[in-house]
Amino acid sequence: MLTERHRWPAHARRDRLWELAASQRGYFTAAQAVQLGYSHQAQHFHAQRGNWLRIGRALYRLREFAILPGEEHDHLVRWWLWSGQRAVVSHLSALAVHDLGIANPAEIHLTVGRGFRQKNDQVVLHRAELPAEDVEDHEGFRVTTPVRAITESAADGADQDVIDSAVSELLERGGATRGQLIRAAQRLGSRAELGVERALRAEQA
């Protein structure tokens, strides 16, 4: 049986898909396409014609976005969708998103809930239930806040020079106080405390 969405004129489905994909840097899932009225047969057609680029399993990107100038973190939208919109960009990847310090991770760091089962060699998964105040929205994905990104990276054993540079820049921007950093580190344990305290001492030197 055809749903109301499948009865939409082709241009209406296209407009709705474009609006959704534009909010996600051109990416969208097969499930999202179905919700907008594209059957799996129609999805196969558009992928075959090259209108949609197949990025991964049940994940597409509109061709136009692949040839337009992109933004530095476009690829993180892909991983947010890959996770079923459950993952939060975190740790060193979050430091890079916030442009804090010298973090330049080769892998994507995501924090997910304990029940998450998907895996990918390009992704480092961290298990935690993040408080709402430690997460903020970015264009097309969610990311841990600068303070959380620093402290969780320290707790994970990131190189001290990465933590030092991130702390120095955050304080210089006025993005947090020394007390806020210390209290946030205390919540994550002794390794986070040590990393942040060393960074604060280095910043004063």
Side-chain angles (χ1 to χ4, degrees):
M1 179 183 296
L2 291 177
T3 66
E4 181 182 349
R5 291 184 178 92
H6 283 87
R7 295 191 185 97
W8 286 343
H11 68 84
R13 291 198 301 271
R14 167 70 180 179
D15 288 348
R16 287 171 171 80
L17 178 64
W18 180 270
E19 182 179 355
L20 170 68
S23 71
Q24 300 175 165
R25 306 305 302 164
Y27 294 101
F28 58 97
T29 66
Q32 288 176 326
V34 167
Q35 290 175 351
L36 294 176
Y38 289 92
S39 66
H40 290 293
Q41 182 179 1
Q43 294 179 34
H44 180 73
F45 169 80
H46 284 289
Q48 287 286 93
R49 290 289 300 269
N51 300 327
W52 302 357
L53 304 181
R54 195 184 300 276
I55 304 300
R57 183 175 178 273
L59 182 63
Y60 299 98
R61 195 180 195 195
L62 291 180
R63 178 184 59 191
E64 293 85 348
F65 281 84
I67 60 177
L68 289 172
E71 296 186 2
E72 183 179 2
H73 304 301
D74 280 2
H75 65 292
L76 295 176
V77 181
R78 167 193 174 178
W79 293 110
W80 181 66
L81 291 171
W82 167 82
S83 76
Q85 304 175 23
R86 288 175 285 174
V88 178
V89 177
S90 62
H91 295 74
L92 298 180
S93 295
L95 290 180
V97 169
H98 295 302
D99 195 23
L100 284 172
I102 59 174
N104 186 27
E107 298 167 303
I108 309 300
H109 290 259
L110 301 175
T111 292
V112 296
R114 309 232 177 248
F116 189 81
R117 294 289 177 263
Q118 291 179 239
K119 294 182 180 179
N120 189 287
D121 290 342
Q122 299 179 58
V123 174
V124 177
L125 293 176
H126 305 268
R127 308 282 177 173
E129 300 300 331
L130 293 169
E133 61 269 22
D134 284 351
V135 179
E136 60 187 42
D137 291 327
H138 200 276
E139 186 180 355
F141 59 92
R142 296 187 301 155
V143 60
T144 52
T145 62
V147 169
R148 173 75 190 206
I150 288 172
T151 55
E152 67 193 2
S153 295
D156 197 46
D159 290 344
Q160 189 61 44
D161 57 347
V162 171
I163 305 303
D164 290 352
S165 62
V167 167
S168 178
E169 289 192 16
L170 186 61
L171 292 175
E172 184 178 348
R173 295 177 191 175
T177 65
R178 298 170 65 86
Q180 286 173 325
L181 283 165
I182 291 171
R183 288 190 293 273
Q186 289 172 341
R187 290 195 291 270
L188 294 185
S190 58
R191 179 182 275 186
E193 284 187 78
L194 181 59
V196 168
E197 287 172 358
R198 284 176 173 173
L200 290 172
R201 287 197 298 271
E203 196 271 335
Q204 283 186 316

